[in-house]
């Protein structure tokens, strides 16, 4: 007979699969296991900003992260219209969506899908997913080039065009900026557990860089902001989902 601990691990593997797909929209998700990482960037990283102070963060709950950014096709299926500037590419990431648009999309999706629980990732979850166990500026590597991400470009490109990271996620660097749920707050002075940015700063954190910005903007530790009401043709969204 198998030990109880082994049985428990097998049950978790069955009940919380490594990959799930929303049956309504076809949005795919990868399971990101709970763990600890160094959030922020070390002093020697090129183009590092002072606000990227490195500190230990522990995420105590596993979660799902969208394998790709939400596409124009998926957004239109839920919202009935495509707001994108580059509106002739159904498999490109939706853009020209503000924070409130993203929240409205999530509310409709949660009401319609048999797999409710969609949300925006926290800033810490986003960076943890971007790093995918790596410690360099772009997760696994200290540099990046145009064979791996869409930056310094002319327009958005279909999601999944470039290789995934170690967690199976595409376009964590480049293509479109991605809204997080966090206000733009100063990092904790010391270690943090399941941090959420709540400080009424009037700004929301966006992550990941975009087709219009340079490679530096696509660093995993780079923090950028917009007012929640702002829209732009390089502002998109990637969903998170609670793991049961």
């Amino acid at each position: 007979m198998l030990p109880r601990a082994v049985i428990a691990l097998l049950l978790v593997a069955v009940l919380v699969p490594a990959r799930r797909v929303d049956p309504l929209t076809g949005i795919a998700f990868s399971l990101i296991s709970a763990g600890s990482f160094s959030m922020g960037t070390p002093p020697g990283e090129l183009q590092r900003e002072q606000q990227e102070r490195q500190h230990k963060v522990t995420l105590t709950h596993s979660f799902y992260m969208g394998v790709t950014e939400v596409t124009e096709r998926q957004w239109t299926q839920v919202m009935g219209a495509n707001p994108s500037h580059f509106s002739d590419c159904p498999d490109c990431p939706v853009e020209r969506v503000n924070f409130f648009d993203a929240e409205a999309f999530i509310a409709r999706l949660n009401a319609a899908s048999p797999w409710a629980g969609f949300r925006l990732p926290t800033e810490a979850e986003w960076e943890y997913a971007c790093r995918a166990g790596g410690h360099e500026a772009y997760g696994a590597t200290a540099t990046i080039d145009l064979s791996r991400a869409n930056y310094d470009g002319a327009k958005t490109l279909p999601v999944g065009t470039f290789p995934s990271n170690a967690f199976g996620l595409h376009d964590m660097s480049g293509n479109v900026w991605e809204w997080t749920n966090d206000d733009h707050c100063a990092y904790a002075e010391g270690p943090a557990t399941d941090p959420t940015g709540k400080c009424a700063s009037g700004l929301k954190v966006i992550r990941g860089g975009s087709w219009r910005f340079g490679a530096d903007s696509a660093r995993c530790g780079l923090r950028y902001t917009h007012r929640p009401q702002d829209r732009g043709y390089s502002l998109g969204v990637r969903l998170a989902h609670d793991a049961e």
Side-chain angles (χ1 to χ4, degrees), residues 54-70:
Q54 199 168 42
H55 60 294
K56 182 180 179 180
V57 167
T58 298
L59 301 177
T60 61
H61 301 285
S62 298
F63 63 98
Y64 283 104
M65 193 73 157
V67 169
T68 69
E69 296 147 337
V70 175

Side-chain angles (χ1 to χ4, degrees), residues 2 8 62 71 74 84 97 119 131 157 161 193 211 224 235:
L2 291 173
S62 298
T71 67
Q74 293 159 345
S84 301
V97 296
R119 57 180 176 80
R131 294 193 178 282
L157 294 176
T161 297
T193 299
W211 63 270
Y224 202 61
L235 270 173

Side-chain angles (χ1 to χ4, degrees), residues 116-220:
F118 303 97
R119 57 180 176 80
L120 289 175
T122 67
E123 185 180 10
E125 287 174 336
W126 192 97
E127 186 169 327
Y128 183 62
C130 181
R131 294 193 178 282
H135 306 284
E136 301 290 349
Y138 301 94
T141 62
T143 59
I144 200 168
D145 60 51
L146 294 174
S147 71
R148 294 178 51 212
N150 181 22
Y151 63 90
D152 276 340
K155 60 181 181 179
T156 56
L157 294 176
V159 299
T161 297
F162 300 93
S164 66
N165 69 10
F167 284 170
L169 308 176
H170 296 268
D171 299 314
M172 293 300 288
S173 294
N175 224 5
V176 291
W177 290 102
E178 301 172 12
W179 290 103
T180 74
N181 196 48
D182 287 21
D183 299 335
H184 182 237
C185 310
Y187 281 158
E189 292 292 336
T193 299
D194 297 324
T196 56
K198 299 297 179 186
C199 60
S201 65
L203 296 171
K204 287 292 184 180
V205 176
I206 58 175
R207 291 295 200 113
S210 82
W211 63 270
R212 190 173 183 273
F213 285 66
D216 170 63
S217 72
R219 292 183 298 112
C220 288

Side-chain angles (χ1 to χ4, degrees), residues 74-93:
Q74 293 159 345
W75 184 276
T76 303
Q77 184 177 357
V78 175
M79 302 300 285
N82 180 9
S84 301
H85 174 76
F86 302 107
S87 59
D88 58 348
C89 180
D91 294 320
C92 287

